[in-house]
Amino acid sequence: MIRRGKNILGFTFVNRDTNRLAQDPPVICLQFTDTGGLHNILMDFKTPESSNFRFVLVDTPVFAYERVLNGLQETTDLPLHNILVDPKASNTRSNESSPTLYALAEEVESAIAQLNDDGAVERPRSDPKVHVNTSQLESVLLALTKPIALIQGPPGTGKSFIGARVTKYLLDSRLGILVLSYANHALNQFLEDLMDVSIPEHAIIRIGGTKKKFSDRTSSLLLSDQRGTYRQPRGAFAIIDEMRRQARMAADELHGAFEAYRDACFG
């Protein structure tokens, strides 16, 4: 937050710009959480006491979750509420609408019954054998048959392995998959796991992050690097041109307003 004396003028968060941080001296970019705080700062900058501003770091993740919290406040329906509130009451198999996925789930159930003593089992829809245990196969079956599946376990128990297999099975059943991760390195690792189970690169699009946050194998998955067959409809270019025109007008208006503010004097 930014304060002058005991007065809090506004709340901000650091907009990390590595290029500006690398300057000498470093330039720190602050983004305000609302227009009220920005107005307070701009007005107080024109006062004799403006040099007494202080930026105080508040160690809280509230602002990082602000959009999520606002979205929850506006939510009127809880998705999957019947499953989240009373999961035992819902026995519907989520794969009943997909014959391919339903047949695959039947294969997994059969594999559980035929598991060898050494833990080797014929992987459904694949030639080589893999060593799995009953718990791992049950996790695959859970993910293929339930609308919500939580697979957890200590490191080294095969969570990523199972996740990659399940994703491959869903993709083979012509279902779209959205993969989310808290960290770039974790997402890169899982995308590499997907490529290791023969999911082609052209079937994967990575959104978010920059080239520096990619691994060597996932750098080609960036959305801007994809060379698909999609073509913009005829009217899309007109919409893009209009948005660019509006953006230029807004930039000119903002520049003019800043020049007027810089030259203004407040008594």
Side-chain angles (χ1 to χ4, degrees), residues 117-180:
D117 293 337
D118 61 353
V121 65
E122 290 285 352
R123 188 173 57 198
R125 312 294 173 89
S126 183
D127 293 330
K129 289 185 177 182
V130 293
H131 289 265
V132 295
N133 55 41
T134 303
S135 177
Q136 291 172 329
L137 283 176
E138 289 176 344
S139 297
V140 173
L141 183 63
L142 176 70
L144 296 179
T145 57
K146 297 297 181 181
I148 295 180
L150 174 61
I151 301 175
Q152 59 183 359
T157 54
K159 298 184 296 299
S160 298
F161 169 80
I162 295 300
R165 302 295 172 185
V166 170
T167 303
K168 178 69 164 59
Y169 298 151
L170 294 175
L171 188 64
D172 290 343
S173 302
R174 299 185 180 276
L175 296 176
I177 301 103
L178 175 63
V179 178
L180 303 177

Side-chain angles (χ1 to χ4, degrees), residues 32-257:
F32 288 84
T33 58
D34 56 23
T35 56
L38 177 60
H39 176 270
N40 292 338
I41 292 295
L42 292 178
M43 294 297 293
D44 275 53
F45 264 137
K46 291 295 184 177
T47 64
E49 296 84 6
S50 61
S51 60
N52 294 328
F53 284 119
R54 293 291 184 272
F55 173 62
V56 180
L57 179 62
V58 180
D59 187 14
T60 173
V62 172
F63 302 123
Y65 302 136
E66 182 179 7
R67 295 182 182 272
V68 176
L69 295 175
N70 289 337
L72 290 175
Q73 290 177 344
E74 298 173 359
T75 299
T76 56
D77 297 323
L78 178 63
L80 303 174
H81 68 278
N82 58 322
I83 300 173
L84 295 174
V85 175
D86 190 7
K88 294 183 179 180
S90 177
N91 296 319
T92 303
R93 293 171 68 109
S94 62
N95 60 4
E96 291 180 350
S97 60
S98 173
T100 303
L101 200 60
Y102 186 86
L104 180 57
E106 295 293 329
E107 290 185 31
V108 175
E109 286 183 312
S110 176
I112 294 176
Q114 300 174 8
L115 191 65
N116 298 332
D117 293 337
D118 61 353
V121 65
E122 290 285 352
R123 188 173 57 198
R125 312 294 173 89
S126 183
D127 293 330
K129 289 185 177 182
V130 293
H131 289 265
V132 295
N133 55 41
T134 303
S135 177
Q136 291 172 329
L137 283 176
E138 289 176 344
S139 297
V140 173
L141 183 63
L142 176 70
L144 296 179
T145 57
K146 297 297 181 181
I148 295 180
L150 174 61
I151 301 175
Q152 59 183 359
T157 54
K159 298 184 296 299
S160 298
F161 169 80
I162 295 300
R165 302 295 172 185
V166 170
T167 303
K168 178 69 164 59
Y169 298 151
L170 294 175
L171 188 64
D172 290 343
S173 302
R174 299 185 180 276
L175 296 176
I177 301 103
L178 175 63
V179 178
L180 303 177
S181 175
Y182 281 110
N184 282 289
H185 68 85
L187 181 58
N188 289 331
Q189 182 59 58
F190 189 70
L191 292 179
E192 292 181 11
D193 291 339
L194 297 184
M195 290 186 283
D196 289 340
V197 295
S198 302
I199 295 181
E201 294 184 13
H202 64 78
I204 306 173
I205 296 178
R206 192 187 193 286
I207 302 176
T210 62
K211 282 286 188 179
K212 295 180 179 179
K213 297 184 182 297
F214 284 26
S215 65
D216 293 339
R217 294 185 62 191
T218 62
S219 60
S220 62
L221 305 180
L222 184 64
L223 178 61
S224 60
D225 291 345
Q226 297 291 327
R227 297 293 182 265
T229 58
Y230 175 77
R231 294 293 181 269
Q232 293 280 7
R234 183 173 301 176
F237 293 102
I239 296 175
I240 294 174
D241 290 340
E242 175 61 19
M243 294 178 67
R244 287 174 175 171
R245 186 187 68 83
Q246 294 179 7
R248 288 193 296 267
M249 291 179 58
D252 293 340
E253 183 178 350
L254 180 61
H255 179 75

Side-chain angles (χ1 to χ4, degrees), residues 46 259-266:
K46 291 295 184 177
E259 291 293 330
Y261 165 78
R262 187 177 61 179
D263 298 335
C265 296
F266 297 91

